[in-house]
Amino acid sequence: MSGILYVLDDQKLAPHYDDLEAFKNDVLQGLRKLNKQIPSKYFYDAQGSALFDQITRHPDYYLTSCELEILDTYKKQLAMKVGAEPFNLIELGPGEGIKTRILVEQFLHDSLSFTYTLIDISKNYLEKLIAQYNRQSPQLELIAINSDYFKGIQWINTTSKRRNMVLFLGSSIGNFDIATTKIFLRHLWDCLHAGDYVLIGFDLRKAIDILMRAYNDSDGITRDFNLNLLQRMNRELGANFRMDKFSHYEAYNVYSGAMESHLVSLESQIIDIDTLASTFTFEPFEGIHVEYSHKYLLTQIAEFAYTTGFEIVQNFTDSQHYFVDSLWRVVKRT
Ligand SMILES: C[S@@+](CC[C@H](N)C(=O)[O-])C[C@H]1O[C@@H](n2cnc3c(N)ncnc32)[C@H](O)[C@@H]1O
């Protein structure tokens, strides 16, 4: 069996769906707001994805090593919990997929019967993963869906009657604001059957200097990753942002528990975006909010599960208790 890449349209699987219109619309709406903002999902063009891969390898960015430790420690336990009958392994936002490979290899080793569906907004990541799995594990049934999470999940619902196990790793859930987190989890619940599993990575609250280091790495890769969003608008939308006229700024909000990423205009300037036929005015030190990375309390994680229709099966943590992979089961009363 070899992997197939689908590109998802709003209504159907379509071979030539182009997300440029969505990007244009979100930039137009976001830069017109009083508090300017652009959704973080637009970080992940080819350049952004390559920079993110470098971030995950940087010693200041503790999240990846913590989650790799958790998955390596508990992979057999996870295989035993979910693998009793054939299932669909569905991953939201796999990135370069090194974490999931630990589980996939364990599942193959244990001869579990499963398919693997990847949903990611970055076509670049999906193409690389398909090529790798086709080469290294040609027996694996693999489907890659190039889509936003919300649309991709809907597609799963219409096609599968098997037990599902959804992976949402890396604390990518932390990029949603809290209201959207609950809407997303309830939407996910709606698309799943009673007894299905989800495994969600949550980065826990910790000393603020550790957080600040992780999002301001000593080699400036996170800075370049954030500024790439401006370069992407230059490349794809015909904007004229100058990198030397913006700086990257990270702040931790103690009340909400979120690291927040901003791009800050260093002077008064007017930006033209050709494809939007629009100009945008920036005052000195005006910012664009580009990402939330929420950090969680265990009570908050329990509340998310309980209020959106899941029960917590087990919380798996790393040895430093920095990170949790929380295994949930869908509860539906009949
Ligand atoms: C923070 S990275 C995490 C990657 C990987 N799961 C990890 O733990 O290292 C987020 C991943 O989700 C994808 N992504 C971000 N926003 C998305 C969205 N709204 N819909 C679908 N994929 C998205 C990105 O392309 C990237 O692969």
Side-chain angles (χ1 to χ4, degrees):
M1 184 63 67
S2 60
I4 306 166
L5 174 63
Y6 290 112
V7 181
L8 201 62
D9 196 341
D10 265 345
Q11 284 83 36
K12 60 186 188 304
L13 292 174
H16 301 299
Y17 178 64
D18 180 358
D19 66 355
L20 187 61
E21 283 309 311
F23 185 31
K24 281 162 70 173
N25 191 43
D26 283 339
V27 169
L28 182 66
Q29 301 300 326
L31 294 186
R32 285 257 181 271
K33 287 187 175 157
L34 192 56
N35 294 320
K36 294 180 171 63
Q37 62 176 102
I38 298 178
S40 61
K41 64 183 178 182
Y42 295 112
F43 279 144
Y44 297 93
D45 66 347
Q47 281 87 336
S49 303
L51 286 163
F52 182 72
D53 296 346
Q54 287 182 43
I55 292 171
T56 61
R57 287 170 179 71
H58 199 283
D60 292 341
Y61 191 79
Y62 59 86
L63 290 86
T64 306
S65 54
C66 291
E67 205 172 22
L68 285 170
E69 180 197 324
I70 294 170
L71 295 173
D72 201 45
T73 308
Y74 296 104
K75 60 189 177 187
K76 288 197 186 69
Q77 215 170 309
L78 283 164
M80 279 166 59
K81 278 200 194 297
V82 302
E85 50 189 283
F87 65 103
N88 300 313
L89 182 67
I90 299 153
E91 180 162 21
L92 307 177
E96 62 175 341
I98 49 170
K99 295 172 185 166
T100 319
R101 184 169 288 280
I102 295 175
L103 292 182
V104 168
E105 279 173 6
Q106 183 67 42
F107 295 168
L108 290 173
H109 174 268
D110 293 350
S111 304
L112 303 189
S113 169
F114 69 104
T115 61
Y116 181 22
T117 300
L118 310 101
I119 298 171
D120 202 298
I121 202 159
S122 162
K123 198 166 176 185
N124 193 59
Y125 275 138
L126 294 176
E127 285 171 345
K128 282 190 186 153
L129 281 169
I130 287 188
Q132 276 172 20
Y133 275 109
N134 283 349
R135 207 171 45 247
Q136 293 165 7
S137 313
Q139 73 278 31
L140 186 62
E141 196 177 327
L142 191 71
I143 295 179
I145 300 177
N146 186 207
S147 156
D148 188 86
Y149 305 131
F150 280 84
K151 292 183 207 160
I153 290 166
Q154 279 165 349
W155 183 79
I156 289 162
N157 181 37
T158 61
T159 58
S160 173
K161 293 277 177 274
R162 283 169 147 199
R163 161 107 347 134
N164 295 301
M165 181 193 190
V166 177
L167 303 177
F168 196 23
L169 304 178
S171 209
S172 295
I173 195 165
N175 300 145
F176 295 138
D177 61 40
I178 297 298
T180 310
T181 302
K182 290 188 177 177
I183 293 167
F184 168 79
L185 289 170
R186 190 61 181 177
H187 179 52
L188 180 60
W189 176 90
D190 220 16
C191 297
L192 295 171
H193 311 300
D196 282 352
Y197 289 102
V198 301
L199 183 71
I200 307 183
F202 291 97
D203 194 20
L204 297 175
R205 294 206 195 173
K206 57 184 62 62
I208 295 170
D209 60 320
I210 298 173
L211 296 174
M212 291 300 282
R213 254 202 315 280
Y215 291 85
N216 283 293
D217 65 85
S218 49
D219 292 309
I221 306 168
T222 313
R223 177 199 61 218
D224 294 348
F225 174 68
N226 279 263
L227 286 170
N228 176 60
L229 187 54
L230 302 182
Q231 289 170 318
R232 181 174 183 186
M233 287 190 275
N234 289 352
R235 284 189 294 269
E236 295 183 24
L237 306 185
N240 63 346
F241 287 102
R242 276 185 46 185
M243 298 314 110
D244 58 345
K245 292 194 173 184
F246 282 84
S247 70
H248 160 238
Y249 176 69
E250 293 279 343
Y252 180 67
N253 182 331
V254 179
Y255 178 69
S256 67
M259 287 297 303
E260 297 192 15
S261 312
H262 306 264
L263 295 166
V264 179
S265 173
L266 295 176
E267 57 186 62
S268 171
Q269 51 182 317
I270 295 174
I271 301 297
D272 295 312
I273 304 189
D274 286 348
T275 59
L276 301 180
S278 299
T279 57
F280 302 91
T281 304
F282 286 82
E283 294 179 50
F285 306 110
E286 184 176 356
I288 311 174
H289 185 283
V290 288
E291 191 171 54
Y292 289 108
S293 300
H294 281 91
K295 311 297 158 194
Y296 300 96
L297 303 169
L298 287 172
T299 45
Q300 226 181 339
I301 296 170
E303 197 248 353
F304 283 149
Y306 177 68
T307 56
T308 57
F310 298 87
E311 63 184 6
I312 296 184
V313 178
Q314 194 166 343
N315 278 331
F316 301 100
T317 60
D318 60 292
S319 49
Q320 297 181 95
H321 294 271
Y322 277 4
F323 200 95
V324 164
D325 275 324
S326 193
L327 183 66
W328 297 359
R329 194 165 30 216
V330 174
V331 179
K332 294 200 180 184
R333 318 261 175 239
T334 44

